[in-house]
Amino acid sequence: MSSTSAYVPGLEGVVAAQTRMSKVDGLAGELVIGGFKLEAIADKASFEEMVYLLWHDRLPKASELADFKASLAELRALPQATMDLLKAVSSKQLDMMDALRVAAGTLGLNAPKDGADEWNAKRLLAAFPTIVAAAWRLRNGQEPIAPDAKLGHAANYLYMIEGKAPSEARARGLETYLNTVIDHGLNASTFTARVITSTASDFVSAIVGAIGALKGPLHGGAPGPALDMVVEIGEVGRAGEGLKKKLAAGERLMGFGHRVYKVRDPRADVLAKAAHEFYEADGDMKLYNLVQDVEKVAIRVLEEHKPGRNLQTNVEFYTALLLHGLGFPTDVFTPTFAVGRVGGWLAHCFEQREAGRIIRPQSEYVGVDDRAYVEVGKR
Ligand code: ACO
């Protein structure tokens, strides 16, 4: 028997799934992923370990991890049809998330009939970095670089973008980022993936839908604009005036505010710490310090703008700092978020498959219900 509850705009506070993947405590500012406090695992585990943890509910033994890594490395190279498609659509105008979406949609082409979920999951996870790196290089008139099976997931991604193997420190920095964003409760893109999976559709369809949800500037599209905002401000003395102007013009400050967190996003600190060493090594502490100063001013200005709403720094503000420090171009920020988050999306796809029940809420009809039809020529 179904009952109808009151309409909740944006489903705020509505519990729509049970999950063992992550716990987001928005008041304490705490994030638990796969049973670990974020700070206890993000800068230690490899990305493959983190994915294994979510998919299998435990950390792998050494031999299991080696097998998992090898099985992913085998699936990194793109099918010819996917590469041909990327070449056909590559142009300077191509949005990197659109490139990822169209190419990801082809990844189920060779899926076996039996065990399609497991195969698709590994294929999607393994091939995301290859797609993003190839699309980026093609957009810049460069040939894509074939994956190197000797490198781990994160290091190989950097290698395929730049054409040279990264230092251990840079690979570690990226790995920490990917681990930090791998899962985050029932965010919009994860919810999308679960809804699609719940109809007994395939994992490729679920992940293509999730990419579409992540692309939006209110979700994963914020870090590029967040960095642009800081660079535009240029020096902290101009921050108050510049940010107030944006708010007065009805703009949102990118990298601030969150549906769940009412305190500072715990991921901000993990990413700021990871970013520090790159800025220190490069000598660009000016930008690092500017980001921290602009953050303080933004929070003050937002409190004046929306008193009592607790609009605080979210993950995207420091994503911008870390990925910029790692040398990523702005256009590749959101696709790199997807490279990490796809591990969590897929974990939720498996979990939803087990749950088995279609996600099908109700709507409240607010239209009229007694219109009379008038022939087109008489209207
Ligand atoms: N700048 C200006 N105003 C804001 C901001 C912001 N960054 N965030 C929220 N507000 C405003 C809202 O417009 C709302 O005003 P209203 O009551 O007059 O309508 C009020 O503050 C309260 O907003 P919330 O209910 O707390 O926000 P909501 O849950 O609807 O939205 C969201 C959350 C989409 C993240 C929002 O804060 C936002 O747009 N932030 C900027 C974009 C961003 O950084 N996105 C990345 C989020 S993290 C992630 O998805 C990975």
Side-chain angles (χ1 to χ4, degrees), residues 12 217-220 222 247 251-259 262 267 302 305-306 309 311 314-316 337 341:
E12 184 163 0
L218 299 192
H219 187 10
L247 292 173
E251 285 181 44
R252 291 186 179 206
L253 303 188
M254 291 296 155
F256 295 90
H258 198 274
R259 173 57 63 82
K262 300 304 162 205
R267 297 170 294 180
L302 281 167
H305 178 64
K306 294 278 168 196
R309 301 303 286 260
L311 300 174
N314 66 46
V315 66
E316 301 291 47
F337 188 170
R341 182 56 61 84

Side-chain angles (χ1 to χ4, degrees), residues 343-354:
W345 288 337
L346 288 161
H348 280 268
C349 290
F350 283 121
E351 198 176 47
Q352 183 61 44
R353 193 63 99 221
E354 291 244 312

Side-chain angles (χ1 to χ4, degrees), residues 86 90 94 96 99-100 130-140 144:
L86 276 177
S90 83
L94 184 69
M96 286 292 103
L100 178 59
T130 323
I131 293 174
V132 178
W136 174 247
R137 290 184 67 86
L138 287 166
R139 201 175 99 166
N140 291 288

Side-chain angles (χ1 to χ4, degrees), residues 33-34 36 40-66 68-69 72 125 152-154 172 175 178-179 182 343:
I33 302 185
F36 292 87
I41 195 164
D43 63 355
K44 296 182 183 63
S46 66
F47 181 64
E48 291 94 325
E49 262 181 294
M50 202 76 184
V51 173
Y52 193 102
L53 168 67
L54 292 188
W55 291 9
H56 300 277
D57 200 18
R58 65 176 173 83
L59 286 171
K61 294 190 179 121
S63 62
E64 290 168 331
L65 181 59
F68 187 54
K69 282 184 164 184
L72 291 174
L125 187 90
H153 194 78
R172 179 64 257 173
E175 207 131 45
L178 298 177
N179 290 348
I182 191 168

Side-chain angles (χ1 to χ4, degrees), residues 75-78 107 122-132 153:
L75 291 168
R76 282 178 186 161
L78 302 182
L107 289 177
K122 283 187 182 170
R123 166 58 108 185
L124 285 154
L125 187 90
F128 258 41
T130 323
I131 293 174
V132 178
H153 194 78

